[in-house]
Amino acid sequence: MPFIPHTEADIREMLAALGVPSTETLFDEIPAELCCGALDLPPALKEMEVTRLMRARAGQNRPLLCFAGAGAYEHHIPAAVWAVTSRGEYYSAYTPYQAEASQGTLQVLYEYQSMMASLTAMDVSNASLYDGATSLAEAVLMAVRTNRKSHSRRILMPKTVHPFYRRVVRTIVGSQALELIELPYDVETGRVDPASLEIHSGTDIAALVIPQINFFGVLEAVDELTVWAAANGAIAIALVNPMALALLKPPGEWGQEGADIACGDGQPLGIPLSGGGPYFGFMCCRKAHVHQLPGRLVGRTVDMDGKPGFTLTLQAREQHIRRGRATSNICTNQGLMVTAATIYMALLGPEGLRRVALQSHQNTLSLMSSLTAVDSVERVFSGPFFHEAVFRTRRPAREIMDGLAERGILGGHELARDYPELGEAILVCVTETRTQEDIESYARQIASLLSHG
Amino acid sequence: MSRLPDDLKYAKTHEWAKPEESGNVRVGISDYAQEQLGDVVYVELPEVGRRVKAGEACAVVESVKAASDIYSPVSGEIVEVNGSLSDAPEAINQDSYAAWLFCVKADDLSELNTLLDAEAYKADAEAD
Amino acid sequence: MLIFDRSRRGRAAHAQLLPESGESPAIPDYLLRKTRPALPEVSELDAVRHYTRLSQQNYSIDTQFYPLGSCTMKYNPKVCHDLASLPGFLNTHPLGLERTGQGTLAGLYELQEMLAEITGMAGVSLACAAGAQGEFAGVAMIRAYHRLRDDLARTEMLVPDAAHGTNPASASMGGFRVREVATDADGNVDLTALELAVGPQTAGIMLTNPSTLGVFDQHIRAIADIVHRAGGLLYYDGANLNAIAGKVRPGDMGFDVIHLNLHKTFSTPHGGGGPGAGPVGVGDKLLPFLPLPVIVKDGSRYRMLTETERPHSIGHLVTFAGNVGVLLRAYVYIRMLGHEGLERVAEFSTLNANYLLKKLVEAGFEPAFPQRRAAHEFIITLKRLAKEHHVTALDFAKRLLDYGVHAPTVYFPLLIPECFLIEPTETESKEALDAFVRIMAEILKEAETDPDRLKSAPHSLPVRRLDEVRAARHPDLAYKSE
């Protein structure tokens, strides 16, 4: 019996104590007609057998040299991150309801909140949400709750926000009578044109979403956008890549007074690609809005002897107290992922993180310079970029991607489905993990595909 | 049972209401409600200028373990809120009749007649 | 001591530090960061030692008996973690999943099929990141179903008063008004109250069975009839599937839509509060509305359905394909159990719960529903202690920590005063249960003779009881360097 420790003698004694002949009797309150027969499931495997099966499955995944980003980034993860995170004391504990017996998890979460607040230059961070897209949805809902001056429930959502994020926001806020207004981008620069906001000036807008870096890898004019939001009574929601913030101006310093909410996906901070999850979402805000923040929060306090300690706090915001009127239905966070991210940030430190960000940026510059040297390859946008960029060739993007895959390269992400107006465009990403040789090989393969095409 | 000043009106939902000469109604929570909630840690107050209906939830008083909606006992416009509670929510535990929450410019003071006097509120709360 | 207190300017984990390139970024100056984030500067050993020591301040399943009711704190097999962490799975980019991740998709597809079989549902989507998101998806599908039929008056979701807080929160997030339904003295849904509550405004009902009260609602078919007759749908919260896995299927009980908590029944890690995974399953009626992606098999290749193929889908709920790593762990777990193994989960979690209940009653504890069999968990109430000795359930819980066991769930469900919701799970041995009973009896004695011992507990943990009022009145949520 896998994972069940009972001996025959145990079972006999336990049944005798209960005065029943068999475990079946314990189910006698369940109407007999409800019981299902044998289920059509594959036969049980021993650990050795399931190991063989899963190794074979993992082997069916084809390892490609990764030049894809678009919301999930391959950064180097120090071995220590998961060696410590996988310890049973983190892995098999639950939400720290009993604070005295959970100081480990609680302190990690407090340190995490501190690191994220500092990275984003915001006052406070929650203890995490599911992922980047859901963090944006929660940020939009929070903005509507927070903005008591606005009654419109209208949100300005740039088209330069990740299309996957936008579709998740649509699903989650869909039943909340919010209006999502799409903001166009400048086809030349690939960023939101601050002038395009003019038609909304003076109207009642609850929030403006500001992605930095945006989906095209381009850097937005965050100061102007934040100033516009403040001037028009809209909450400024910063959607940011935390890795990039080691190098880029943090949301708390945007414009005159900073963004109001910062959110995004924490995956770049020590979380493996893992086919798309689990990652974690983060959300930071100003102190004044903390009571509208969704998700768990850990606070530092003292115990009855005056000794410092940590506990979940401001829980009256949450579903287990407020039920139908909670700030969100979220119950758990992504505790284990956040543990990994905290250890990752501690190992990298401010300088290490900055160098990873800078190296990724420079690798991408290098790739774009090699690529645009290839005949008929063009960079699509002129705006400054970070570690992703969009290029186009004269061949269909699908053929380029297939060709690269045959040569062992995951070439990026095709944009045609979400941005047909961009033609055969590919979004490519280079992190610090790619060598100069990898980069040259990518450019060479593109050149070769174009010369044969 | 806890302190219940005779000169106030009380709602079944544990608010007290005090009509003032100006025609405004000052609102807070009863000593009994404060005791039931325990240590108040946060108060969410309405915007000044907001229109409320009698019985409409327009403030929240939170303790560590509970969040309690506060209903306006009369219809009207919020003309004043007790901002000092943001920094010192414990004032409600110290004296819930001094620590008022908000003040409503009532449309119709006769709505107060539907509230309970101290005696009736006491009987009602004890029956809970 | 915080990691920040260990920080020294200029120290670093050098093996992780890339060389300084010396070049400046090709980014306009006004977009660059001018301040240094206050991240710690420590060596690798500093960090490893700090976080290892912190881990030792946690109670966990690997180190303690953890009978936290409603959370199913059973052993998380190491092999599940190991196999889901194979490089082939970890290094697959989500956008390369169809092109390069066929091994991952094969596992996910089979998991969909197995969960559908286990729950008696027509189709499953693995997209939801956690149970609460599964609930939201379920509620959104119910909404979409009524709307597509132009049945727009159905604006009310019924939720039993004993339900978990996420149920009403999810219902209101899904745009419904929540109406509570009372529980009868046996812990079942009050059928008379239900009859009165349903009507043309009823969109559905959200139920957990066995309920949060730890008993199986025998009238589930009657409930299904009442709600279905009124035109509503039945939503099954899978929080307590551990009690009936492999024995009774929500689909056979009459449920139209379900969510599962893989970190409960299917032994994926709780991780200090996530990551979870909350797959949803539906009957035929709701198939078109399932959240995306749904994985299908075309010949020998696996792929994900798109919006064009499922135009009525409620859409996407997470950025990519869901918490794949968690899903793979559950897949491994189910493959190791098979049908018989799953049925044993239900049998032994129920045996352990009933045995523990019996022994605790013998030791002088008061069950909330003495007339009922326990499912995989049960409730005792400490209201007598509270009355006679002014010792609360919280005091009792804190004292348990001193004895090296994690406390059960306290004060939930809200209906039962001074309650403990106790869930031992099937992976605990008889000795572990007997030891727990001895500890409970010991503390009961203490409560009667030396109640202050409980009121001031815990005494032997890294910290004593924390000042939560101070934490909430003056929130200190982030370290600020001096």
Side-chain angles (χ1 to χ4, degrees):
Chain A
M1 298 193 292
F3 317 121
I4 295 173
H6 301 61
T7 64
E8 286 300 329
D10 291 338
I11 299 169
R12 268 198 312 277
E13 283 174 45
M14 292 170 84
L15 290 173
L18 289 168
V20 296
S22 75
T23 52
E24 264 322 298
T25 319
L26 299 174
F27 293 87
D28 58 6
E29 288 189 3
I30 300 181
E33 69 273 16
L34 288 182
C35 293
C36 61
L39 298 180
D40 182 18
L41 292 177
L45 300 177
K46 290 292 174 193
E47 181 170 314
M48 185 178 75
E49 297 166 306
V50 79
T51 300
R52 191 180 307 148
L53 170 75
M54 293 306 279
R55 286 205 176 128
R57 286 277 165 77
Q60 285 166 11
N61 284 1
R62 215 147 50 92
L64 297 185
L65 197 60
C66 183
F67 283 85
Y73 303 93
E74 185 184 293
H75 290 290
H76 175 70
I77 302 172
V81 169
W82 282 92
V84 177
T85 304
S86 305
R87 288 180 63 91
E89 296 95 328
Y90 288 128
Y91 189 83
S92 72
Y94 199 28
T95 304
Y97 296 121
Q98 295 292 339
E100 301 86 348
S102 316
Q103 286 295 299
T105 290
L106 285 163
Q107 185 174 332
V108 167
L109 293 175
Y110 178 83
E111 292 183 0
Y112 161 80
Q113 290 173 188
S114 305
M115 292 179 191
M116 293 309 293
S118 173
L119 205 52
T120 55
M122 303 294 285
D123 297 329
V124 296
S125 160
N126 73 4
S128 77
L129 299 165
Y130 304 135
D131 69 2
T134 57
S135 81
L136 181 59
E138 291 281 7
V140 164
L141 292 171
M142 175 176 166
V144 170
R145 284 195 303 273
T146 307
N147 195 339
R148 295 166 113 190
K149 285 189 215 112
S150 163
H151 304 286
S152 71
R153 301 170 77 86
R154 294 162 79 207
I155 311 289
L156 294 181
M157 178 72 80
K159 265 193 95 176
T160 58
V161 169
H162 198 312
F164 292 8
Y165 283 33
R166 284 186 277 135
R167 70 189 184 189
V168 169
V169 173
R170 279 198 298 274
T171 308
I172 293 178
V173 310
S175 37
Q176 304 269 335
L178 297 189
E179 189 185 349
L180 299 168
I181 302 171
E182 215 161 68
L183 274 186
Y185 60 92
D186 180 331
V187 290
E188 176 59 33
T189 60
R191 47 162 48 174
V192 174
D193 180 1
S196 74
L197 282 169
E198 281 320 306
I199 56 163
H200 301 290
S201 289
T203 66
D204 184 353
I205 298 291
L208 165 67
V209 177
I210 308 173
Q212 184 76 318
I213 42 200
N214 78 20
F215 182 63
F216 301 135
V218 176
L219 298 170
E220 298 278 1
V222 290
D223 290 323
E224 284 96 318
L225 296 172
T226 308
V227 166
W228 184 91
N232 286 278
I235 296 280
I237 301 174
L239 173 65
V240 288
N241 178 327
M243 170 65 68
L245 293 182
L247 205 57
L248 299 179
K249 186 188 275 187
E253 296 173 8
W254 293 358
Q256 305 284 317
E257 291 175 15
D260 300 285
I261 302 173
C263 64
D265 203 306
Q267 181 273 334
L269 304 172
I271 311 303
L273 291 171
S274 193
Y279 300 163
F280 71 89
F282 60 88
M283 193 185 286
C284 304
C285 73
R286 298 164 187 268
K287 205 168 185 174
H289 298 153
V290 68
H291 286 272
Q292 296 300 336
L293 197 61
R296 304 278 192 214
L297 275 170
V298 174
R300 180 153 64 159
T301 181
V302 292
D303 73 2
M304 47 205 289
D305 295 335
K307 191 178 171 195
F310 303 88
T311 182
L312 291 173
T313 192
L314 304 185
Q315 296 190 69
R317 299 165 297 116
E318 295 185 61
Q319 47 76 26
H320 60 287
I321 291 180
R322 244 185 217 183
R323 298 176 75 86
R325 304 191 57 182
T327 52
S328 166
N329 71 339
I330 194 164
C331 180
T332 53
N333 51 28
Q334 299 281 100
L336 200 66
M337 310 335 269
V338 161
T339 305
T342 307
I343 300 174
Y344 176 85
M345 286 189 276
L347 285 170
L348 273 283
E351 187 55 26
L353 206 61
R354 192 185 70 82
R355 290 191 195 176
V356 169
L358 188 58
Q359 188 67 61
S360 304
H361 170 64
Q362 277 159 350
N363 283 353
T364 309
L365 286 175
S366 170
L367 177 74
M368 290 316 285
S369 115
S370 303
L371 273 184
T372 44
V374 176
D375 194 30
S376 96
V377 177
E378 56 169 351
R379 205 182 123 196
V380 173
F381 300 116
S382 64
F385 56 86
F386 183 72
H387 69 346
E388 285 181 275
V390 181
F391 71 94
R392 198 161 34 207
T393 75
R394 59 181 156 74
R395 279 188 70 176
R398 169 47 54 97
E399 287 177 29
I400 298 281
M401 290 285 289
D402 287 343
L404 288 172
E406 277 166 29
R407 292 161 166 80
I409 291 174
L410 183 61
H413 176 59
E414 296 163 51
L415 296 185
R417 214 177 82 189
D418 296 302
Y419 302 92
E421 70 276 15
L422 293 178
E424 299 298 330
I426 291 175
L427 176 67
V428 67
C429 169
V430 196
T431 68
E432 86 285 5
T433 56
R434 297 288 78 89
T435 63
Q436 200 51 41
E437 200 182 307
D438 295 338
I439 292 167
E440 280 159 22
S441 156
Y442 187 100
R444 230 181 9 253
Q445 301 301 349
I446 293 273
S448 132
L449 284 166
L450 290 173
S451 65
H452 292 101
Chain B
M1 172 129 182
S2 45
R3 218 154 57 79
L4 285 175
D6 281 334
D7 57 336
L8 301 178
K9 293 287 216 171
Y10 298 87
K12 284 189 176 208
T13 45
H14 309 295
E15 293 84 5
W16 57 257
K18 183 181 183 186
E20 299 184 335
E21 282 174 20
S22 57
N24 292 347
V25 176
R26 210 163 281 274
V27 181
I29 65 168
S30 73
D31 193 36
Y32 172 78
Q34 163 288 115
E35 271 175 13
Q36 292 294 309
L37 268 169
D39 294 311
V40 173
V41 297
Y42 179 67
V43 180
E44 192 182 304
L45 296 167
E47 290 276 288
V48 170
R50 174 172 157 190
R51 298 275 322 162
V52 290
K53 288 206 187 79
E56 180 180 333
C58 62
V60 184
V61 177
E62 292 183 6
S63 68
V64 171
K65 300 285 177 219
S68 193
D69 282 320
I70 308 301
Y71 305 93
S72 177
V74 289
S75 308
E77 181 186 329
I78 306 281
V79 289
E80 211 186 335
V81 297
N82 186 356
S84 74
L85 293 176
S86 325
D87 291 326
E90 57 273 23
I92 292 177
N93 296 116
Q94 285 150 7
D95 182 352
S96 75
Y97 299 107
W100 58 280
L101 297 172
F102 53 86
C103 199
V104 191
K105 185 174 193 304
D107 295 343
D108 176 5
L109 279 173
S110 73
E111 279 180 343
L112 287 173
N113 299 338
T114 60
L115 299 180
L116 309 171
D117 61 16
E119 192 74 5
Y121 172 68
K122 181 170 181 237
D124 192 69
E126 276 171 354
D128 257 0
Chain C
M1 193 186 222
L2 294 168
I3 189 75
F4 305 102
D5 300 321
R6 298 182 193 276
S7 178
R8 294 293 176 270
R9 191 71 198 250
R11 190 167 287 159
H14 288 281
Q16 314 303 342
L17 200 59
L18 297 175
E20 176 63 88
S21 74
E23 286 172 59
S24 46
I27 293 171
D29 191 61
Y30 67 91
L31 292 176
L32 291 176
R33 181 169 197 134
K34 300 297 189 324
T35 54
R36 235 169 124 79
L39 299 180
E41 297 177 68
V42 296
S43 72
E44 185 160 327
L45 178 57
D46 285 339
V48 167
R49 207 168 267 169
H50 178 77
Y51 291 107
T52 301
R53 283 196 187 143
L54 281 188
S55 77
Q56 291 164 338
Q57 297 193 13
N58 270 1
Y59 278 18
S60 68
I61 301 168
D62 281 6
T63 50
Q64 268 90 11
F65 181 47
Y66 209 129
L68 192 65
S70 165
C71 298
T72 313
M73 301 300 285
K74 56 174 158 181
Y75 172 59
N76 304 147
K78 299 294 171 194
V79 64
C80 301
H81 175 60
D82 244 41
L83 296 179
S85 306
L86 289 169
F89 295 127
L90 281 192
N91 298 335
T92 303
H93 192 280
L95 295 169
L97 214 47
E98 289 181 342
R99 200 186 286 272
T100 69
Q102 285 292 312
T104 299
L105 288 181
L108 299 186
Y109 175 79
E110 287 172 23
L111 180 62
Q112 273 177 196
E113 301 289 297
M114 295 192 301
L115 293 178
E117 174 70 11
I118 291 166
T119 55
M121 290 287 148
V124 166
S125 162
L126 305 172
C128 302
Q133 218 192 23
E135 288 181 30
F136 173 78
V139 165
M141 284 189 273
I142 291 175
R143 185 181 147 94
Y145 170 81
H146 292 309
R147 287 177 89 85
L148 193 68
R149 294 157 46 94
D150 257 334
D151 201 351
L152 302 177
R154 300 196 177 272
T155 53
E156 205 168 85
M157 188 63 73
L158 302 173
V159 178
D161 51 7
H164 194 264
T166 50
N167 286 177
S170 300
S172 50
M173 213 169 159
F176 289 107
R177 229 179 16 254
V178 175
R179 177 158 179 177
E180 285 202 344
V181 186
T183 303
D184 70 16
D186 285 335
N188 294 327
V189 170
D190 185 327
L191 290 180
T192 324
L194 180 64
E195 290 274 16
L196 289 171
V198 296
Q201 78 288 356
T202 304
I205 186 169
M206 301 177 82
L207 284 176
T208 311
N209 199 19
S211 73
T212 54
L213 301 170
V215 294
F216 189 92
D217 197 318
Q218 299 125 306
H219 309 308
I220 183 61
R221 288 299 272 273
I223 295 171
D225 285 346
I226 292 170
V227 175
H228 280 152
R229 254 201 325 268
L233 298 179
L234 270 83
Y235 176 89
Y236 181 81
D237 178 327
N240 293 341
L241 188 72
N242 215 56
I244 54 168
K247 284 208 170 287
V248 182
R249 310 192 302 171
D252 300 334
M253 289 187 236
F255 285 95
D256 303 289
V257 48
I258 61 151
H259 91 264
L260 300 171
N261 298 95
L262 296 189
H263 55 278
K264 295 181 182 176
T265 316
F266 300 101
S267 238
T268 65
H270 285 76
V280 287
V282 292
D284 289 317
K285 265 188 227 163
L286 293 181
L287 261 184
F289 306 101
L290 270 180
L292 296 172
V294 170
I295 296 151
V296 291
K297 192 175 183 186
D298 282 344
S300 62
R301 285 194 74 75
Y302 300 92
R303 65 179 187 89
M304 297 184 273
L305 289 180
T306 63
E307 290 94 337
T308 343
E309 291 164 289
R310 281 284 170 91
H312 295 301
S313 162
I314 58 162
H316 289 260
L317 285 153
V318 289
T319 314
F320 298 110
N323 285 344
V324 174
V326 178
L327 299 168
L328 290 175
R329 283 169 175 80
Y331 174 77
V332 172
Y333 181 74
I334 299 174
R335 289 301 308 262
M336 291 182 75
L337 261 56
H339 175 242
E340 284 172 12
L342 265 183
E343 205 176 351
R344 274 196 300 264
V345 164
E347 278 171 17
F348 284 87
S349 61
T350 303
L351 175 64
N352 275 1
N354 280 281
Y355 175 78
L356 189 55
L357 172 58
K358 173 93 178 175
K359 290 288 169 183
L360 285 174
V361 170
E362 286 172 11
F365 290 91
E366 185 184 342
F369 297 100
Q371 72 277 31
R372 298 295 307 268
R373 286 235 195 262
H376 65 312
E377 60 185 354
F378 59 89
I379 300 171
I380 58 171
T381 168
L382 302 174
K383 62 181 187 222
R384 183 184 64 82
L385 281 183
K387 202 164 163 202
E388 293 173 9
H389 302 280
H390 305 287
V391 168
T392 64
L394 186 71
D395 298 329
F396 208 106
K398 296 301 182 195
R399 186 66 182 138
L400 272 169
L401 303 178
D402 277 331
Y403 283 87
V405 294
H406 195 279
T409 297
V410 284
Y411 300 110
F412 176 82
L414 306 166
L415 295 182
I416 315 288
E418 299 298 329
C419 71
F420 266 16
L421 179 60
I422 304 177
E423 179 179 8
T425 84
E426 74 280 6
T427 61
E428 295 296 334
S429 65
K430 177 171 174 296
E431 290 90 325
L433 305 181
D434 290 338
F436 180 68
V437 173
R438 280 195 300 276
I439 292 167
M440 289 285 285
E442 183 68 34
I443 299 176
L444 186 57
K445 220 182 299 161
E446 284 179 354
E448 285 159 358
T449 56
D450 184 10
D452 285 338
R453 193 96 194 115
L454 277 68
K455 285 185 213 168
S456 54
H459 301 276
S460 59
L461 276 87
V463 290
R464 298 185 62 198
R465 234 178 274 190
L466 292 153
D467 187 343
E468 295 187 35
V469 172
R470 174 183 156 138
R473 275 186 187 160
H474 310 287
D476 170 0
L477 306 171
Y479 166 82
K480 296 272 185 302
S481 56
E482 299 313 322

